[in-house]
């Protein structure tokens, strides 16, 4: 099988994400050797997200790829994420992800009403965790593409452009709704076998946040955890104290 992996890096990658993705790509290299899977990495610079996704789709089709996998540059992945998403065997499948903003809803959506009707509404699937099936999957009506695998055969059934950012809809949800309109039998799922970590923004200590930060870290200290020794160990500290005593004597 052949995969195009698209990551919209913009300008730089966080160090935590870099380390995680480096380990994941090493694993993909082993998959290439063991399974014969081929990979194309697409990381455009300073490109809008909908344009990036459309370009990735064009490159994948030109290279006769079987899948496109979109991974955002703020996602922490489990090593076997790709294998799990392939095993799910859906047209579109997302590794379970939470939106990185309060109230941290799942990045999956469920329609209310009949699709295409004037009263149809797409809502956050807040209780998606409660509806997993025996395969640890949940069928949904739309997902975000933070860590998502798409079958290229699906693209061949759709008109272009595939991805469009509108005033009311992000390009990933637009794509899911486009699929439902042009290919009603599309399968869209969330995979709970490989949940992601979604990197939050860096914390800022400010008069408007300091109380909340203190409360958060005070609550953290109430959690029982193994006692941590000093970084250098007792023997190192003892030798330093002895040296200081000798210098002062």
């Amino acid at each position: 099988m052949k995969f195009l992996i698209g990551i919209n890096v913009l300008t730089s990658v966080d160090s935590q994400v870099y380390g995680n993705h480096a380990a994941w790509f090493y694993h993909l290299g082993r998959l290439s050797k063991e399974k014969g899977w081929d990979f194309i990495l697409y990381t455009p610079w300073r490109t809008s997200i909908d344009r990036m996704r459309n370009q990735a789709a064009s490159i994948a089709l030109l290279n006769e790829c079987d899948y496109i996998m979109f991974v955002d540059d703020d996602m922490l992945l489990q090593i076997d994420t790709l294998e799990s998403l392939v095993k799910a065997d859906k047209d579109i499948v997302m590794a379970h992800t939470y939106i990185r903003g309060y109230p941290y809803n799942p990045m999956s959506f469920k329609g209310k009403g009949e699709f295409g009707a004037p009263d149809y509404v797409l809502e956050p699937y807040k209780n998606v965790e409660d509806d997993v099936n025996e395969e640890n999957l949940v069928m949904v009506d739309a997902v975000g593409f933070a860590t998502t695998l798409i079958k290229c055969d699906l693209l061949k059934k759709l008109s272009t452009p595939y991805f469009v950012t509108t005033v009311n809809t992000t390009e990933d949800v637009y794509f899911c709704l486009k699929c439902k309109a042009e290919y009603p039998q599309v399968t869209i799922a969330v995979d709970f076998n490989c949940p992601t970590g979604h990197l939050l923004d860096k914390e800022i200590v400010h008069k408007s946040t300091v109380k909340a930060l203190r409360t958060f870290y005070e609550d953290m200290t109430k959690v029982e955890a193994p006692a941590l020794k000093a970084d250098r160990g007792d023997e190192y500290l003892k030798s330093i104290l002895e040296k200081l005593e000798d210098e002062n004597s």
Side-chain angles (χ1 to χ4, degrees):
M1 289 190 292
K2 185 183 289 187
F3 301 80
L4 183 139
I5 298 177
I7 304 177
N8 201 29
V9 177
L10 193 59
T11 57
S12 62
V13 178
D14 181 89
S15 59
Q16 288 179 287
V17 174
Y18 175 83
N20 174 261
H21 286 194
W24 183 56
F25 280 117
Y26 176 80
H27 176 71
L28 296 187
R30 296 184 64 179
L31 286 180
S32 180
K33 183 177 181 180
E34 295 169 4
K35 294 180 176 289
W37 291 2
D38 291 328
F39 298 95
I40 299 171
L41 178 62
Y42 179 57
T43 56
W45 185 69
R46 293 182 63 86
T47 304
S48 65
I49 191 65
D50 51 357
R51 176 173 293 181
M52 174 268 180
R53 298 206 194 284
N54 282 308
Q55 290 176 345
S58 296
I59 295 170
L61 291 174
L62 284 171
N63 285 274
E64 299 182 340
C65 291
D66 299 286
Y67 293 94
I68 296 176
M69 185 174 182
F70 288 122
V71 180
D72 283 355
D73 63 358
D74 56 1
M75 303 306 300
L76 301 175
L77 310 184
Q78 297 188 36
I79 287 297
D80 61 349
T81 295
L82 177 59
E83 299 97 296
S84 185
L85 297 180
V86 170
K87 184 179 178 181
D89 193 25
K90 305 301 180 187
D91 294 318
I92 304 169
V93 56
M94 179 192 73
H96 176 52
T97 298
Y98 292 100
I99 296 171
R100 66 182 194 115
Y102 182 82
Y104 308 109
N105 287 323
M107 195 180 282
S108 47
F109 306 88
K110 190 173 184 179
K112 185 177 180 181
E114 182 180 353
F115 181 75
D119 61 345
Y120 180 82
V121 178
L122 197 63
E123 299 178 336
Y125 200 156
K126 294 181 180 180
N127 64 331
V128 65
E129 299 96 332
D130 300 331
D131 295 336
V132 295
N133 62 20
E134 64 279 359
E135 297 176 316
N136 228 15
L137 302 173
V138 180
M139 303 306 297
V140 298
D141 291 313
V143 292
F145 287 173
T147 303
T148 299
L149 189 70
I150 302 170
K151 290 183 178 180
C152 286
D153 280 345
L154 175 63
L155 300 176
K156 300 172 185 178
K157 299 176 174 66
L158 306 175
S159 62
T160 57
Y162 304 116
F163 307 95
V164 178
T165 301
T166 71
V167 175
N168 299 315
T169 309
T170 54
E171 84 298 332
D172 39 21
V173 172
Y174 173 92
F175 179 78
C176 292
L177 295 176
K178 182 184 186 72
C179 290
K180 291 179 70 67
E182 299 185 5
Y183 183 64
Q185 57 268 51
V186 63
T187 54
I188 307 173
V190 179
D191 186 351
F192 279 81
N193 294 296
C194 52
T196 67
H198 205 164
L199 191 69
L200 295 174
D201 291 326
K202 292 179 174 61
E203 298 170 349
I204 299 174
V205 181
H206 180 264
K207 66 178 183 179
S208 63
T209 63
V210 67
K211 289 183 179 179
L213 286 170
R214 284 172 180 159
T215 300
F216 174 78
Y217 286 101
E218 286 166 3
D219 288 343
M220 288 285 287
T221 60
K222 297 174 184 177
V223 179
E224 293 185 8
L228 298 177
K229 292 187 176 181
D231 291 343
R232 300 277 183 146
D234 293 340
E235 292 182 2
Y236 175 83
L237 294 175
K238 183 179 179 181
S239 67
I240 294 296
L241 291 172
E242 290 175 349
K243 183 178 180 180
L244 290 173
E245 289 177 358
D246 292 340
E247 291 177 352
N248 293 330
S249 61

